[in-house]
């Protein structure tokens, strides 16, 4: 069959409140044209993030009831540990309340002033946790990643030559090498199995462990199956095992590719590191058989890990994004190509060339999508990155709008509705105007800044 259907049926529904354009205009005004200040009940389709927004399955909800809340030695922990180790065979699996807690524990041990941590591209919490210890986070993604139109199959790959050079010149300062799969900050682009293996080989030759930030490991494995020569007939769980078999540890947010609403873990083969990490875990998160989680959360993750490597799910997941991407391109909306595993990124700077970067074309598009159809997306551009530590404004590298797709939440008609909203925005795009910031905090301004449209 040509039609790829949602490989699930709906048992529990959450009603959507349908707002009118007039209502949304006044909600925008009240929110200072910042979509983070809009209440989610006033959003028709929420594409702000794919993190923690997955729909859990009947099996997951069933397992929630089985959750054992014993302080120590809960069977829920052992089911969680077994599920992780079926895919990622690490000796120690340490549960945390989110991915960033795993990062904080890891870098409080291996970070510190003068240290350098290379990756393809660090996610912002990873970078934040590295820099908070005084260490430096270095991004070494391949050059194609910076070219919006380059249709390279693995734009998340690390540049092996630059990694080798860094390790030769400053190896003494490098505690470990990281890889983020898929590369979230780089548009959800995958890393090839060949690149993962070559990264491990280089790291190990220099005596460094490889730690994978595995938040979207299943989407990455699916891209490997679809795009990497020789991988097309292999089961996804086998590809996942291969990805992690050359690594020495991982950090994970279960809010992504584990279908959970909360959770994460740190895993390692290093006994000494694990002992230190568990000591810190007890201080900051909890006892090692629950970390920062309830037993019921560990159960939901264990089931989610079985479901996320299902090929029918992954085919539907990635195809949905491709479908939306193709339709946007046919409307003349420029997007980052190829589309990522968890999101479609629109190139707002090119879509709205009459709005200069310092008048925030990404914010203008995000506001227009909300006004026209109640869609909430996220500006990733000059609002987010355009102010240096010195307080001076400058254009970010790109002005993108991210349409992040929650897992198993929407149907085909939601996708078609999104396209129709874009059609409406395309029709009026020449009339769209930029915005100016009327108030902003000193850091992370995109969350709380207030705007005013430029008339
Ligand atoms: C979300 C994310 C994290 C952080 O995980 P949280 O659960 O949000 O703390 C780290 N790395 C990547 C690649 C992510 O996408």
């Amino acid at each position: 069959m040509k039609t790829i259907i949602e490989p699930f049926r709906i048992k529990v529904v959450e009603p959507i409140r349908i707002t009118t354009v007039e209502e949304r205009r006044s909600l925008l005004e009240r929110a200072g044209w910042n979509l983070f200040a809009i209440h989610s009940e006033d959003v028709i389709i929420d594409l702000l993030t794919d993190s923690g927004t997955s729909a859990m399955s009947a099996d997951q909800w069933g397992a929630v009831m089985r959750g054992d809340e014993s302080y120590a030695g809960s069977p829920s922990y052992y089911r969680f540990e077994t599920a992780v180790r079926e895919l990622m065979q690490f000796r120690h699996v340490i549960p945390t309340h989110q991915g960033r807690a795993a990062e904080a524990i890891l870098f409080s041990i291996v970070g510190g002033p003068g240290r350098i941590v290379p990756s393809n591209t660090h996610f912002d919490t990873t970078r934040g946790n590295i820099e908070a210890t005084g260490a430096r986070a270095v991004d070494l993604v391949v050059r194609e990643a910076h070219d919006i139109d380059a249709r390279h199959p693995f734009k998340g790959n690390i540049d092996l030559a630059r990694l080798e050079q860094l390790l030769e010149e400053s190896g003494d300062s490098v505690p470990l090498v990281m890889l983020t799969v898929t590369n979230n900050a780089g548009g959800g682009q995958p890393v090839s199995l060949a690149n993962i293996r070559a990264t491990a080989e280089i790291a190990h030759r220099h005596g460094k462990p490889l730690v994978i930030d595995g938040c979207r490991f299943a989407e990455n494995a699916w891209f490997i199956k679809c795009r990497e020569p020789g991988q097309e007939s292999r089961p996804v769980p086998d590809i996942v095992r291969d990805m992690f078999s050359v690594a020495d540890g991982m950090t994970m947010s279960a809010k992504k590719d584990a279908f959970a609403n909360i959770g994460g873990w740190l895993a390692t083969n290093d006994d000494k590191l694990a002992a230190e990490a568990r000591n810190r875990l007890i201080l900051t998160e909890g006892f090692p058989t629950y970390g920062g989680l309830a037993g019921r959360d560990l159960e939901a993750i264990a089931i989610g890990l079985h479901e996320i490597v299902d090929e029918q799910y992954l085919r539907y997941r990635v195809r949905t994004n491709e479908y939306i991407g193709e339709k946007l391109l046919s409307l003349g909306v420029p997007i980052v190509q190829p589309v990522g595993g968890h999101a479609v990124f629109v190139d707002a700077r090119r879509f709205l060339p009459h709005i200069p970067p310092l008048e925030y074309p990404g914010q203008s598009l995000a506001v227009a999508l909300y006004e026209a159809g109640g869609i909430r997306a996220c500006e990733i551009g000059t609002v987010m990155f355009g102010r240096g530590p010195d307080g001076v404004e400058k254009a970010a590298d790109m002005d993108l709008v991210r349409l992040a797709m929650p897992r198993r939440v929407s149907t085909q008609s939601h996708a078609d509705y999104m396209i129709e909203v874009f059609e409406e925005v395309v029709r009026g795009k020449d009339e769209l105007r930029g915005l100016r910031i009327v108030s902003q905090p000193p850091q992370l301004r995109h969350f709380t800044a207030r705007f005013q449209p430029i008339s």
Side-chain angles (χ1 to χ4, degrees):
M1 292 296 152
K2 260 198 344 286
T3 306
I4 297 172
I5 62 168
E6 291 81 10
F8 49 81
R9 61 177 78 84
I10 295 166
K11 171 137 73 182
V12 177
V13 298
E14 229 180 324
I16 297 173
R17 193 172 84 79
I18 305 294
T19 48
T20 63
V21 177
E22 290 70 35
E23 244 179 296
R24 293 193 292 271
R25 280 192 190 124
S26 75
L27 288 164
L28 277 168
E29 190 171 343
R30 215 180 318 153
W33 288 270
N34 186 332
L35 297 164
F36 285 99
I38 299 272
H39 294 195
S40 59
E41 285 176 339
D42 298 326
V43 176
I44 294 177
I45 297 185
D46 204 344
L47 307 179
L48 202 54
T49 179
D50 67 318
S51 176
T53 52
S54 300
M56 293 218 298
S57 66
D59 274 0
Q60 282 181 294
W61 283 113
V64 163
M65 279 311 299
R66 193 175 56 203
D68 180 300
E69 307 302 342
S70 304
Y71 195 91
S74 162
S76 300
Y77 169 76
Y78 293 104
R79 277 192 280 272
F80 157 80
E81 185 194 42
T82 302
V84 173
R85 285 167 67 177
E86 262 167 41
L87 293 169
M88 301 112 176
Q89 279 128 17
F90 296 114
R91 203 146 56 229
H92 306 278
V93 182
I94 299 169
T96 58
H97 80 278
Q98 286 198 206
R100 68 196 69 187
E103 295 166 350
I105 290 171
L106 175 64
F107 292 109
S108 70
I109 299 168
V110 305
R115 296 285 169 94
I116 303 172
V117 182
S119 184
N120 45 354
T121 310
H122 290 283
F123 181 64
D124 55 11
T125 61
T126 321
R127 173 176 290 280
N129 274 299
I130 291 169
E131 291 175 348
T133 71
R136 202 149 62 83
V138 179
D139 295 338
L140 299 176
V141 74
V142 291
R143 285 182 214 296
E144 288 88 344
H146 303 292
D147 177 355
I148 287 179
D149 302 317
R151 292 198 56 97
H152 186 287
F154 292 104
K155 282 168 103 169
N157 282 355
I158 197 168
D159 185 327
L160 297 166
R162 287 164 71 209
L163 175 64
E164 181 92 58
Q165 188 189 351
L166 176 79
L167 287 169
E168 262 158 32
E169 287 169 4
S170 330
D172 290 347
S173 312
V174 176
L176 54 83
V177 174
M178 276 196 102
L179 269 180
T180 311
V181 305
T182 58
N183 192 15
N184 183 6
Q189 301 290 328
V191 182
S192 71
L193 193 52
N195 192 259
I196 295 173
R197 286 177 171 150
T199 304
E201 189 276 317
I202 292 171
H204 293 159
R205 186 151 38 74
H206 287 84
K208 308 297 176 190
L210 169 63
V211 174
I212 295 182
D213 174 342
C215 292
R216 296 180 182 78
F217 70 91
E219 289 166 10
N220 199 89
W222 177 252
F223 283 123
I224 287 174
K225 183 179 168 86
C226 297
R227 297 180 184 172
E228 194 157 345
Q231 301 296 324
E232 56 280 356
S233 55
R234 300 189 58 213
V236 168
D238 285 359
I239 297 174
V240 172
R241 280 187 278 272
D242 276 5
M243 286 163 53
F244 289 94
S245 68
V246 294
D248 305 281
M250 73 180 293
T251 56
M252 175 73 188
S253 169
K255 301 174 76 171
K256 322 292 172 51
D257 271 0
F259 284 132
N261 302 124
I262 197 74
W265 67 84
L266 170 65
T268 178
N269 288 331
D270 182 331
D271 297 341
K272 188 161 157 281
L273 176 68
E276 266 185 80
R278 289 199 173 101
N279 289 337
R280 281 169 210 247
L281 187 82
I282 288 174
L283 277 179
T284 58
E285 294 276 296
F287 189 75
T289 58
Y290 70 84
L293 295 169
R296 55 178 168 270
D297 302 321
L298 294 166
E299 296 276 358
I301 295 169
I303 304 282
L305 286 175
H306 286 291
E307 295 177 351
I308 201 83
V309 290
D310 176 67
E311 298 191 2
Q312 296 305 329
Y313 160 73
L314 287 166
R315 175 176 294 114
Y316 139 82
R317 168 84 174 152
V318 169
R319 183 60 204 143
T320 305
N321 295 351
E322 285 170 356
Y323 174 83
I324 294 167
E326 286 160 13
K327 297 277 181 177
L328 291 184
L329 284 171
S330 73
L331 292 175
V333 178
I335 61 167
V336 176
Q337 297 195 65
V339 296
H342 68 293
V344 177
F345 289 75
V346 178
D347 183 353
R349 191 176 292 174
R350 213 189 307 172
F351 180 61
L352 301 173
H354 59 288
I355 302 181
L358 294 183
E359 294 178 8
Y360 316 122
Q363 189 68 17
S364 175
L365 173 58
V367 164
L369 291 170
Y370 180 75
E371 184 178 314
I375 293 176
R376 175 157 69 172
C378 185
E379 192 262 11
I380 300 194
T382 304
V383 174
M384 198 178 267
F385 302 120
R387 193 167 53 156
D390 49 7
V392 177
E393 282 266 340
K394 62 172 178 30
D397 291 347
M398 304 179 196
D399 277 296
L400 303 178
V401 170
R402 184 181 75 174
L403 313 171
M405 306 297 170
R407 294 169 184 76
R408 299 193 295 209
V409 167
S410 305
T411 62
Q412 170 87 33
S413 70
H414 290 107
D416 289 330
Y417 174 85
M418 284 176 219
I419 311 296
E420 202 177 322
V421 172
F422 264 96
E423 268 169 23
E424 172 90 8
V425 170
V426 167
R427 269 195 294 276
K429 85 187 197 61
D430 295 339
E431 277 77 59
L432 289 181
R433 292 290 166 263
L435 301 107
R436 62 190 175 81
I437 292 181
V438 292
S439 72
Q440 57 181 313
Q443 273 111 30
L444 296 171
R445 65 176 180 178
H446 54 285
F447 291 124
T448 53
R450 293 181 69 84
F451 300 84
Q452 183 76 51
I454 295 169
S455 48

